[in-house]
Structure formats: structure tokens, C-alpha cells
Amino acid sequence: MTATATQPKYEIKDINLAAKGKQRIEWAGREMPVLRQIQERFAAEKPLAGIRLVACCHVTTETAHLAIALRNAGADALLIASNPLSTQDDVAASLVSDYGIPVYAIKGEDNDTYHRHVNIALDHKPNIIIDDGSDVTATLVKERQSQISDIIGTTEETTTGIVRLQAMLKDGVLTFPAINVNDADTKHFFDNRYGTGQSTLDGVIRATNILLAGKTLVVAGYGWCGKGVAMRASGLGANVIVTEIDPTKAIEAVMDGFRVMPMAEAASQGDLFITVTGNKHVIRPEHFAAMKDGAIVCNSGHFDIEIDLQSLGQEATEVKEVRPFTQQYCLKSGKSIIVLGEGRLVNLAAAEGHPSAVMDMSFANQALACEYLVKNKGQLEPKIYNIPTEIDKEIARLKLQAMGIKIDSLTADQIEYINSWTAGT
Ligand code: ADE
């Protein structure tokens, strides 16, 4: 469905879903007190007045609050999906209809539509790009060099996007500042760990309704997302095996109490496999061949490349949709493998993504990163900046305040001690 002349341009599933979307956006707002305070300040101060901004994010109830904050700040903001399968169509409808924000996102859009939306976003001639996975920034660098002079900076939400930005920097093609939102403490400690931990299992459970207690769960990757998934699955009674390529992370997993082994060994043991590595083909034909009949595989990493579904498809005699977001691959060997969410982020494909309470801090970082870029326009170099510590700490302080939790502060004596090297044994 596209826009009429008087409405902002958009491409969404169905504008009639707006009422349900608005209700859900308002519900999410109850858990987002930090972003709400920023929204209110932005409405008064308009720090992004005159800025053309593109946000390429998962279009969820939480992203709606970020988009509203940006609009309140005076930005001419446009929103596109950062994944073909993560859009909440009712939220997209409400953002267009109730909040006047142009959205280009439809759950289940094909890859061509996804890339067309990325190009529509760039046609908006952004000064700031909020990216989740770096697709808009990479397309700008590859195909729209002439627009780079318009760019004040980009802000990146996720580990995968940061890895891509680092590769751009190494190749000398990142010629504008980028803010690393992912590595803010108030982002990855909470969003990647508790957000992915809970929402990934939520996606698995909504898709399959399986009991996790007593199941053997193989988690591929022990970064912050993998740690969260392993911790929460263990809490639900699953027997967790971790696979890793990094020796330090592998030791950490061992000391956290998990079994660690190569995927080649884990393949025959797992009932459920969750990939969160950020790399491609972590589960390959030789692993599928070793799996139990009925093994379930899914991914919670940013891109749908972690499970080699093309090879699995070549081994299949039939692929059946057995429940929403649940496909059964019937293999020539007589065995079946179950794939959730087409190998895309299962937490957003089959559930609602991270809970609002963690996105509150992630998107507070995004909103303040945009303000920081504008305040420091012309003074930043073409490199990747971490979120300033003051911003990170302020978000943590506001979150604690909203939770009604007080903490200690240093006494004058302690401040003197901590700043001095003279006192010892
Ligand atoms: N990434 C993971 N969960 C999300 C959510 N709920 N909203 C936006 N982006 C997300």
C-alpha cells in the first residue's frame, strides 16, 4: 500500500492496522522511561532541527519511540526496515498514520524490495544515518559517493555493523564519522545479553512451543548474545553446549559451566541449535548430516548467512510450513530438520525482538549519538567513535532513577585515595 498525495510517502502492509499498532506502541512506552525523558527534552530543545535523517532499524514498537524522539527533535526522519522479516506491520501503519513518519517496511518483503527501500532512504539525502547492520552506510559508500558531502555521520546499532564499519575504515572508504552505539556499556551489556537471551528463546518457544527443560541446546558463538542465550536457556533447564572459535571466549564458556566442543561433535547431540556468531555457514552440510531426526535450527545473528540453508535445500525432497515461521525440511536421507524464521533473526521473525526495557537504553544511546553528531559537526574525523562515557553513564543513571534504585557515591576521602598512587601497603 502506498501514500496518497496528502500523506507522507510510505510503503507498508496495511494502513488499517494503525489502531492496533498505536496501542502496542503506547504499551512499550511504559518500559522506556529514559527515552521518554530524552523525547521530552528534544521536543523542547529541537537539537536535530533541519537535519534529514534515515533510520534503518527493525520496525518495532521500541523503534517507534526512537522515531518519535527524532521527529520531536526536529529531524526530517524516514524509517526503513533493517531486515526483511522483522517489521511489525501494525507499528509501521501507526507511525505513518498517527505520527506522520514515512516508513518503508513490510514484514516478509523480498530482498529486491528491501534493497529498493535502502535506495529510497538514500534518495531522502540524509545528513545522519542510524544503521542496524550497516546496509545503508555500505550502499552509500559503494553506490552514492556524490552524497557523502551531505553526511554529518552515521550511528551503528549492532556488532555486525561495527565489524563492517571497521572493514570500511581499513579499506580507506569510511570518509565520515561513525558512532559505535553497540559498544556503549548501556547497550551491549543489556541489549545483546539480556535482550537476545530472552527474546531468542521467546522466538523459539512461540514458533515451536517446545519445552526447553531437558533439551540439549547448542549455542554457536559466546559473544554477548551467545552468553545471554546460554545463560537463559540454562535457567530454563536446557543442557547447554557452546561452540566457539575464540579460545578466550571458549574458556569463559567452560568456566560459566557449559560444555564446549566443535560443531562437528555437537551436531549429533543437539536437539536445538542457535547461531549467534556473525559469521557465515556455521552450520553446514556435514553438520546437518550428523544431526538427529527432527533437530531444530535457528539463528539470532544479524544476517541470515549463519546456517547454510541453500545446501540444506539441495538435500530436501520437500519443505513444508508446519507452523508459522517453522519449516520442516524433509531430506533424501529420510530425516527431517526444522528451520525457524527462514534462518533470519528468530527473535524478531517469530517474536517481538528485545523487550522494551533494554531497547530503552539502546535507543537512548542512538538518540544522544545523533545529538552528539550535530553538536560536533565539522569537528569529528572520519573514524569510528565510541559513545562518550558521560553519555553512557548518564543513561545508566537515568535508568536506575526510573527503577527507583539508589547507589552510593564516593566520599571525599575515597576520591583522594583513588586519585593517588602514594598510599600502598
Ligand atoms: N533489535 C532487537 N530487538 C529489537 C527491538 N525490539 N526493536 C528494535 N531493534 C531490535
Side-chain angles (χ1 to χ4, degrees):
M1 185 182 273
T2 47
T4 63
T6 51
Q7 282 168 314
K9 289 198 185 137
Y10 57 86
E11 221 174 281
I12 59 172
K13 173 107 182 277
D14 182 358
I15 198 77
N16 297 311
L17 298 171
K20 181 175 164 229
K22 184 156 193 274
Q23 196 178 37
R24 292 181 57 246
I25 291 168
E26 285 171 3
W27 176 259
R30 293 160 54 109
E31 292 269 279
M32 304 186 78
V34 178
L35 191 58
R36 183 165 56 247
Q37 287 188 47
I38 294 169
Q39 245 175 43
E40 286 164 6
R41 179 171 68 75
F42 276 10
E45 297 176 6
K46 304 273 177 231
L48 304 183
I51 299 293
R52 283 189 310 276
L53 189 150
V54 161
C56 176
C57 298
H58 302 292
V59 178
T60 64
T61 52
E62 294 77 23
T63 300
H65 285 279
L66 173 63
I68 294 163
L70 301 168
R71 190 213 49 189
N72 281 3
D76 175 4
L78 178 147
L79 177 61
I80 63 167
S82 60
N83 183 293
L85 210 50
S86 62
T87 298
Q88 297 173 4
D89 290 316
D90 55 346
V91 169
S94 176
L95 280 172
V96 169
S97 163
D98 301 311
Y99 300 97
I101 296 171
V103 181
Y104 294 81
I106 301 168
K107 189 172 178 99
E109 64 194 28
D110 59 23
N111 282 351
D112 288 347
T113 307
Y114 177 81
H115 290 296
R116 193 165 52 73
H117 289 167
V118 169
N119 277 292
I120 288 173
L122 287 169
D123 290 343
H124 188 58
K125 303 259 176 343
N127 308 120
I128 292 183
I129 297 166
I130 297 182
D131 236 346
D132 185 336
S134 202
D135 275 344
V136 178
T137 306
T139 308
L140 172 82
V141 166
K142 268 192 282 188
E143 296 168 20
R144 303 270 191 131
Q145 280 287 322
S146 65
Q147 282 183 232
I148 288 186
S149 54
D150 292 340
I151 297 289
I152 299 174
T154 184
T155 71
E156 176 52 53
E157 172 77 5
T158 200
T159 317
T160 294
I162 294 299
V163 170
R164 289 180 89 187
L165 285 173
Q166 281 160 347
M168 285 181 219
L169 193 63
K170 182 168 70 62
D171 286 352
V173 295
L174 186 71
T175 52
F176 45 87
I179 308 278
N180 178 349
V181 167
N182 180 67
D183 288 323
D185 289 347
T186 47
K187 199 278 183 181
H188 70 277
F189 283 156
F190 304 93
D191 168 314
N192 300 31
R193 180 170 37 174
Y194 303 116
T196 307
Q198 177 168 318
S199 65
T200 299
L201 300 183
D202 184 17
V204 169
I205 292 166
R206 289 196 208 194
T208 61
N209 198 27
I210 59 166
L211 178 71
L212 285 172
K215 295 277 190 306
T216 297
L217 165 57
V218 180
V219 180
Y222 206 65
W224 288 105
C225 295
K227 288 194 218 318
V229 171
M231 171 174 63
R232 290 303 185 238
S234 168
L236 284 169
N239 241 304
V240 176
I241 295 174
V242 170
T243 70
E244 246 307 335
I245 50 93
D246 178 308
T248 321
K249 288 182 181 151
I251 300 175
E252 198 180 357
V254 171
M255 298 216 176
D256 284 343
F258 302 117
R259 283 185 292 155
V260 175
M261 62 186 77
M263 185 60 84
E265 263 174 59
S268 60
Q269 300 188 36
D271 300 302
L272 168 64
F273 295 79
I274 300 177
T275 55
V276 264
T277 68
N279 215 327
K280 69 185 285 198
H281 295 180
V282 176
I283 301 186
R284 303 183 285 274
E286 64 267 31
H287 304 134
F288 292 126
M291 282 180 193
K292 297 179 191 171
D293 183 24
I296 300 171
V297 296
C298 62
N299 166 53
S300 215
H302 185 79
F303 287 120
D304 61 341
I305 35 85
E306 303 211 14
I307 304 167
D308 183 359
L309 284 182
Q310 207 183 349
S311 298
L312 186 64
Q314 281 159 6
E315 278 307 298
T317 52
E318 194 186 2
V319 180
K320 294 190 277 196
E321 180 94 1
V322 286
R323 285 169 61 96
F325 309 111
T326 307
Q327 289 179 317
Q328 180 179 12
Y329 282 64
C330 305
L331 305 183
K332 292 172 195 157
S333 64
K335 224 170 50 175
S336 305
I337 302 285
I338 309 294
V339 177
L340 307 184
E342 300 170 20
R344 298 194 186 274
L345 287 153
V346 71
N347 60 337
L348 282 141
E352 294 174 64
H354 303 344
S356 317
V358 288
M359 294 314 295
D360 187 27
M361 290 191 283
S362 310
F363 285 161
N365 276 291
Q366 283 288 8
L368 297 181
C370 293
E371 182 183 40
Y372 180 81
L373 277 174
V374 173
K375 273 192 184 155
N376 292 284
K377 183 179 167 189
Q379 288 162 41
L380 300 176
E381 290 169 40
K383 60 182 204 189
I384 305 169
Y385 287 87
N386 284 336
I387 289 274
T389 311
E390 316 82 75
I391 293 183
D392 211 353
K393 293 280 176 218
E394 178 62 5
I395 291 171
R397 199 187 60 74
L398 290 173
K399 190 72 175 175
L400 282 170
Q401 191 183 57
M403 294 165 96
I405 296 169
K406 296 194 179 70
I407 60 171
D408 287 324
S409 47
L410 295 174
T411 62
D413 190 33
Q414 286 172 324
I415 292 173
E416 194 189 328
Y417 175 80
I418 212 77
N419 285 305
S420 147
W421 56 268
T422 51
T425 311

